[in-house]
Amino acid sequence: MVRRASASQPRAPEPNAPRVTTPDLESLLTLALSQPDRTLRLAEAWLAESPSDRVASVAHQAICVAERGTGHMREALGHGRAALRHARRVDAERQGDVLATLGATLVYAGRTTEGLRLLEESIPLTPKRTLGRVLHRRAHILGLLGRYSEARADLDRAVRHSHRHGDTLWEGRSLVNRSDVHLALGEVRRAEDDARRADLLLTSLGEHFEAVQARHNQALAAFHAGDLVAALILLDAVDDGYRALGIDPVDLVLDRAQVQLTAGLTTEARAMLDDALARRSVPPATRAELLLMAARAALAGDDPAGAETLATEARKLFAAQQRPRWALQARALALQARDVTLQGQRRVAPSSTGRPLPHGQERRHARDTARLVTALREQGSRELPGALMLHARAAERAGLDAEVARSYAEAAGTRHTGPPLARAAGWLAAARLAAHRGDRRGLYDACRRGLDAVDEHRAVLGDLELRALATGHGRDLAALAEVEAARARDARRLLWWSERWRATSLQVAPPSPSDPALERDAAALRDVTRRLDAAEEDSPAAAALFRERARREGDVRRAYRHRRGTGAVGTGFDVRHLVGALGDTVLISLSTIEGVLHAVTIARGRVQVRTLGPIGPVLDEAQFARFTLRRSAHGRPSALDATATRLEAALFDTRPPGWSAPQVVLVPPPELLTVPWGLLPVFAGTALTVSPSATLWLRARQGLATSARPVPDGTAPIGHVALVTGPGLTSGQREATALSPVCDSARAVGGDEATVAGALDALDGARLAHIAAHGTFRADAPLFSSLSLADGPLTVHDFERLQRPPRSLILSACESGAAAPIGAHEALGLVTGLLAMGTSGVLASIVPVNDDATVAVMGRVHDVVARGGTLADAWLAARQAAASDPLLTATAASFTAWGA
């Protein structure tokens, strides 16, 4: 439907208002949509000159539209009625046009019955040459009420009438409106066609505001077709178009929030919706839609109680506005939120069969969801598959087995049609149906196909963060398969399913096309960050720079989110290939399944699974261990041995066989990726490598083997050594000076030369690189985690400019190994970003470290690497050499060897 725009420019009298002509009257009504404040000034100036009834009618009508668009409903209705009084003294055509405007305004104000009556009264008063305009407005309201078939019938007539009578402006408007209706009915191709036609017509008339609205609908069509990148690009362009016109429409907030929630950008969506709801001038009809979208965002943000409250409030507003389709959507969301709450609150005694006993609350919930399914089926709603899934879960807990099977089977009907995420939802229903029937093979097949569909969605995403977030759409599918494999004690299958959805975003190198605009944005961000770091804390200048940094980060994020993926989704995983590649190395893969840690171990060709225990105590002890290491870095006394013992005890009661092998590859889940594994006594004599996934370890191992090949004369490995030293270290240049003799012919960059460009030039193509700098980890934006250089921060995004990332990289920097869990089984930070780009091995710290102690630890590391040892070998040697010194022990344990 035609979108409401709001503006907030101050109103002032229009000077020297000209004598009003018929074209002026037409243009004023057109202007009311795109420039409400200017419309108000002009119309009030006309009314001040004691105009004729025709002029007064148009002026009041224009004010009505402008006030409605800015949410001032009382003022809008007052001027609408004034317009009607004057119109009745003009002619039937003028009266019909005003009745249509007033009727629409009444519906927006929540007075639906009266508004529809006036819209009906306007039809017989309107001549055929302008009938398309009134039909358009009635269709807009019918669509707002969810009566889409009636709306489309009106719009088909409106397009024909407007075209036949040469009313190009209203033909374009009706095409925009019909595009909206097509989207509501699921007819995406028709919606896109109408939006493109409207764009051409409205642009040819110079109606820039309404042309932007047509492009707005093109963005929605792209989204509903499953092309998230195109939707993001188009919505950003639409936002730019509205801003250029000085307009900030609430409808754009709604649509951006919907796209952001699908992209997994829940925090951004919630903040934007909260801001929109805080606006004073939001029409009731729009406010109800905002509340519904805010409820979706709350549920996505793990706030089911807040979601149910918001959805219930939205439902009441929709019901008062006589919008039954919308009210049912709100009811569905409230029940979905309640379902999540019930799952969390279930505390009932198990029966003799081990199944939870159904109780009254769950049976009532199942009856409520059954009624929802019936209502949505009667409406022919696109929300039906989700409601069927909801009812099946409720019925399963209530012990209504027959309803479970019927609901899952019907919901699974979407698995072969529609965009990728819709198909994935259908396969999830099929997987749950197979689980309900005890069909293990069917469950595995459905989970595999569902994850393939999610991969199809992810393949178009070029941004690493968006790819990681998109894994959330496959979380339930992967969990179902892992639970079944763990229940069957099938170690190989459990390992396969753990790998199928673990760190998959890192398996495809991000695209790195040359983008001068992005490089300028990154440079501007670097400069403002450098100035922010130098500013006095809590000063007005720092506050302004903080806002500027947020804006610049938004520009960089936007550019990356517009990148298209290569279509690749990573290579397949073969357990037999992994077993062969490990040789004497032991692999330990940890998985969290229903809150319990499971370990799959591969040792000497044998694959075994072991249940360890709940993950909660491990998380608590890991947090305390990191705290202890931070204290140690500042020279404060800390009981490292006791801390290590407690951490290990939380992980297992009895030391599992094989864990103390000479060489171990550890693959933890994302939430345990930054555990200080080097502290554990079980690994005291182990060359330990930590990897986000076994698949990445295989790729990294292959990369290391390639880089270690000698040149044709057999004298040296391919590649150079790079040493980069950032500013502000208490150790100054001592680290690079101490390492230069070890790293023969190294390219050393320090002082003023240690800029981002200078560092990247030295790092590109390096066999081994060492960066000594202050590090900053951004849990809120892990890809903006950085290393401090002479001209500002070196971020993960900057590393993507490298043509050939270093094969092995030592990050002698605080928290450079930190990573934030994101999506499903993903974690992002400096190290994981580098591994995604193709770096084979990284040695980095997970907590702040002492600069002087780090120099000593790094000396030992390079001694081993210079003799051909791996980073894991070097880390082990550093830990063992530091055993007699508490500060050195803590410093060495603060690092982790990643990759291979």
Side-chain angles (χ1 to χ4, degrees), residues 24-94:
D24 290 333
L25 296 177
E26 292 285 340
S27 64
L28 184 66
L29 290 173
T30 301
L31 199 67
L33 288 172
S34 59
Q35 298 183 46
D37 287 304
R38 183 158 184 257
T39 298
L40 293 171
R41 293 194 299 269
L42 283 169
E44 287 168 356
W46 291 357
L47 290 172
E49 294 186 348
S50 302
S52 67
D53 284 320
R54 178 178 295 278
V55 173
S57 172
V58 172
H60 282 295
Q61 184 182 6
I63 294 174
C64 173
V65 173
E67 295 283 21
R68 184 183 72 197
T70 53
H72 301 121
M73 305 310 297
R74 179 179 298 179
E75 293 84 350
L77 289 172
H79 283 281
R81 291 192 178 93
L84 184 59
R85 286 195 299 272
H86 287 285
R88 284 176 175 150
R89 295 195 287 267
V90 179
D91 56 32
E93 180 180 358
R94 179 96 285 272

Side-chain angles (χ1 to χ4, degrees), residues 191-469:
E192 184 179 11
D193 289 344
D194 274 357
R196 290 185 184 279
R197 285 175 59 193
D199 188 5
L200 291 173
L201 289 176
L202 295 166
T203 300
S204 71
L205 295 173
E207 295 295 337
H208 301 298
F209 167 67
E210 298 188 66
V212 172
Q213 292 180 320
R215 288 169 215 142
H216 190 155
N217 274 20
Q218 291 176 49
L220 296 181
F223 171 68
H224 287 289
D227 192 341
L228 187 63
V229 174
L232 288 168
I233 292 171
L234 287 167
L235 282 175
D236 283 337
V238 167
D239 190 22
D240 291 342
Y242 283 136
R243 289 180 185 278
L245 295 168
I247 296 169
D248 182 17
V250 177
D251 284 45
L252 181 61
V253 172
L254 285 164
D255 295 329
R256 287 181 78 94
Q258 185 180 18
V259 173
Q260 287 173 341
L261 289 175
T262 299
L265 302 167
T266 306
T267 302
E268 294 181 29
R270 294 189 76 173
M272 186 171 59
L273 288 164
D274 287 346
D275 287 344
L277 283 167
R279 299 182 190 182
R280 294 181 179 178
S281 55
V282 176
T286 307
R287 180 174 179 80
E289 295 176 33
L290 282 171
L291 286 167
L292 179 60
M293 190 62 69
R296 295 187 193 282
L299 190 59
D302 296 323
D303 180 13
E308 186 171 1
T309 299
L310 289 164
T312 301
E313 185 179 352
R315 183 190 180 199
K316 291 176 181 176
L317 282 176
F318 287 133
Q321 296 164 10
Q322 298 181 40
R323 300 169 69 183
R325 282 182 176 268
W326 287 92
L328 202 54
Q329 285 186 42
R331 173 66 172 157
L333 191 59
L335 286 173
Q336 189 178 354
R338 185 181 304 170
D339 190 75
V340 174
T341 300
L342 285 174
Q343 290 183 60
Q345 290 179 345
R346 291 182 73 206
R347 295 291 185 271
V348 294
S351 68
S352 59
T353 62
R355 295 180 60 184
L357 293 170
H359 53 73
Q361 190 177 20
E362 288 183 333
R363 284 191 176 275
R364 285 194 300 274
H365 181 56
R367 287 195 297 270
D368 288 343
T369 58
R371 285 193 288 267
L372 173 68
V373 166
T374 300
L376 289 171
R377 185 180 283 114
E378 289 173 354
Q379 283 190 353
S381 172
R382 290 187 299 167
E383 306 286 331
L384 179 60
L388 286 163
M389 292 283 284
L390 175 64
H391 176 57
R393 292 196 302 273
E396 194 163 22
R397 292 198 305 273
L400 307 174
D401 289 352
E403 294 187 39
V404 174
R406 282 197 303 268
S407 297
Y408 278 142
E410 186 177 352
T414 62
R415 66 190 185 278
H416 294 299
T417 59
L421 293 183
R423 299 200 307 274
W427 283 115
L428 177 60
R432 285 183 167 154
L433 177 61
H436 180 71
R437 291 173 172 170
D439 177 7
R440 184 175 294 160
R441 178 177 295 181
L443 182 150
Y444 288 147
D445 181 65
C447 289
R448 178 179 57 80
R449 290 170 178 256
L451 292 177
D452 287 346
V454 180
D455 272 340
E456 187 180 335
H457 166 75
R458 295 170 62 230
V460 304
L461 306 175
D463 180 51
L464 178 58
E465 181 185 26
L466 288 184
R467 286 207 312 276
L469 288 167

Side-chain angles (χ1 to χ4, degrees), residues 69 77 99 117 190 229 241 273 395 421 433 446 571 636 650 680 775 782 889:
L77 289 172
L99 279 170
R117 179 177 59 79
R190 289 184 175 183
V229 174
L273 288 164
L421 293 183
L433 177 61
T571 57
R636 296 170 186 166
L680 294 183
T889 298

Side-chain angles (χ1 to χ4, degrees), residues 452-737:
D452 287 346
V454 180
D455 272 340
E456 187 180 335
H457 166 75
R458 295 170 62 230
V460 304
L461 306 175
D463 180 51
L464 178 58
E465 181 185 26
L466 288 184
R467 286 207 312 276
L469 288 167
T471 59
H473 294 292
R475 178 183 284 107
D476 290 344
L477 287 158
L480 271 175
E482 284 187 296
V483 167
E484 188 62 33
R487 185 176 296 144
R489 307 300 295 171
D490 188 334
R492 287 176 178 264
R493 198 174 292 274
L494 177 55
L495 178 60
W496 191 91
W497 278 108
S498 297
E499 284 295 310
R500 177 63 184 88
W501 213 238
R502 173 176 277 173
T504 53
S505 66
L506 306 180
Q507 293 177 20
V508 179
S512 53
S514 176
D515 187 342
L518 175 58
E519 291 182 15
R520 287 194 298 271
D521 287 339
L525 172 60
R526 190 177 308 122
D527 177 67
V528 73
T529 303
R530 177 184 57 79
R531 289 186 285 125
L532 177 59
D533 290 342
E536 185 177 345
E537 192 174 355
D538 297 329
S539 66
L545 288 169
F546 186 84
R547 291 191 296 271
E548 176 68 6
R549 187 184 72 171
R551 187 178 70 82
R552 294 293 185 181
E553 285 182 356
D555 292 339
V556 173
R557 280 197 185 96
R558 173 171 164 164
Y560 276 96
R561 290 172 182 174
H562 289 183
R563 288 186 171 183
R564 283 202 167 273
T566 60
V569 292
T571 57
F573 176 69
D574 187 331
V575 176
R576 288 176 298 180
H577 177 54
L578 174 64
V579 171
L582 283 167
D584 293 331
T585 300
V586 172
L587 180 131
I588 304 166
S589 176
L590 302 178
S591 299
T592 307
I593 301 172
E594 296 184 322
V596 176
L597 273 175
H598 292 68
V600 174
T601 304
I602 302 178
R604 296 184 296 278
R606 295 185 63 193
V607 186
Q608 297 176 302
V609 61
R610 176 189 179 105
T611 302
L612 298 180
I615 191 172
V618 181
L619 293 171
D620 292 342
E621 293 301 333
Q623 183 176 2
F624 182 76
R626 287 190 290 266
F627 169 76
T628 302
L629 290 173
R630 290 189 184 95
R631 284 179 56 86
S632 299
H634 292 91
R636 296 170 186 166
S638 53
L640 281 178
D641 289 343
T643 299
T645 301
R646 286 173 51 182
L647 177 57
E648 188 167 290
L651 194 61
F652 48 72
D653 295 326
T654 304
R655 182 172 295 184
W659 282 43
S660 296
Q663 293 183 318
V664 170
V665 175
L666 180 65
V667 181
E671 61 270 25
L672 298 181
L673 203 59
T674 57
V675 169
W677 295 106
L679 268 183
L680 294 183
V682 68
F683 297 132
T686 297
L688 177 66
T689 298
V690 177
S691 180
S693 73
T695 305
L696 273 177
W697 177 82
L698 278 169
R699 190 183 77 176
R701 179 177 178 276
Q702 182 179 3
L704 276 181
T706 301
S707 68
R709 292 173 187 166
V711 292
D713 63 4
T715 57
I718 298 173
H720 64 278
V721 176
L723 300 177
V724 178
T725 305
L729 298 173
T730 59
S731 58
Q733 298 289 321
R734 287 192 291 115
E735 194 166 331
T737 302

